[in-house]
Structures are given as structure tokens and as C-alpha cells.
Amino acid sequence: QVQLVESGGGLVQAGGSLRLSCAASGRTFTTYAMGWHRQAPGKERDFVAAISWNGDISYYADSVKGRFTISRDNAKNTVYLQMHNLKPEDTAVYYCAADRRHSDDSNLWDYWGQGTQVTVAS
């Protein structure tokens, strides 16, 4: 089992940048793929980005391609989401997730953090 704690959210102007972090507990971090997902008010939770256990594979939702970058530091048990050129439609609660397998289906991820709010002002 793994426990996840996100940080780094906040309020930013459109066009700005933020970096989210997700710290994982446990000694088995390297056995998990990691992902970021988000949920806007009144909407379902959507996939944002995922990365394989060793970082060799990463992929993104079309809406964030070219603006967001997912990375991980296995020595620090941490995964990051670097976000550039933020838009008001990126406003959401962002969740970190872990699973043995990566997927672009949010429903298939097993472990979740508590979320961090990202608000992009126009």
C-alpha cells in the first residue's frame, strides 16, 4: 500500500506556471506507476498524465500536451507535474494516484492523495 500527499497548488494568472509535487510513503514506490488527474467543479475526475515506474513511459491528455510535464524522482519517492501556460479551464482539484499499471482511465487507479487546488484566473 502507498500513501500520497500532494502539494504545490495555488492561484495563478492565465499564462503562468505551477509545479505540483506528490510525496509517496513506503518502500515500494518504484513498483508503482504514477499519475495525475483532476476534477473541476461539477465534473467527473479526468486523467491528466501518467508515468511508468522507471519514467521510461509517459503520456498526457490531449488538453495538456505540450504544456504539462510529468516526472518522478524515485530516490525521493516523489512525482511532479510541471504546468506551463495555464488556462482558466485548467482550474480543478489535482489528484496524485498510484497503481501497479498506468492507464488513462481514472477509474482504474487504486491509490489516491487528498488533492490540491489549482485556480487559474483569467
Side-chain angles (χ1 to χ4, degrees), residues 11-47:
L11 173 64
V12 64
Q13 295 293 316
S17 299
L18 279 175
R19 188 176 81 156
L20 305 182
S21 300
C22 173
S25 65
R27 296 175 291 177
T28 60
F29 179 69
T30 56
T31 66
Y32 290 95
M34 300 297 296
W36 287 96
H37 309 254
R38 65 187 182 187
Q39 187 168 19
K43 295 188 177 181
E44 294 185 349
R45 190 175 299 185
D46 289 330
F47 167 79

Side-chain angles (χ1 to χ4, degrees), residues 7-9 17-21 36 69 71 80-83 86:
S7 61
S17 299
L18 279 175
R19 188 176 81 156
L20 305 182
S21 300
W36 287 96
T69 302
S71 61
Y80 304 98
L81 186 68
Q82 179 68 56
M83 305 184 292
L86 283 160

Side-chain angles (χ1 to χ4, degrees), residues 38 63-64 67-68 85-92 94 118 120:
R38 65 187 182 187
S63 58
V64 306
R67 299 188 299 122
F68 291 11
N85 190 22
L86 283 160
K87 304 175 181 181
E89 51 264 42
D90 294 318
T91 295
Y94 282 71
V118 172
V120 185

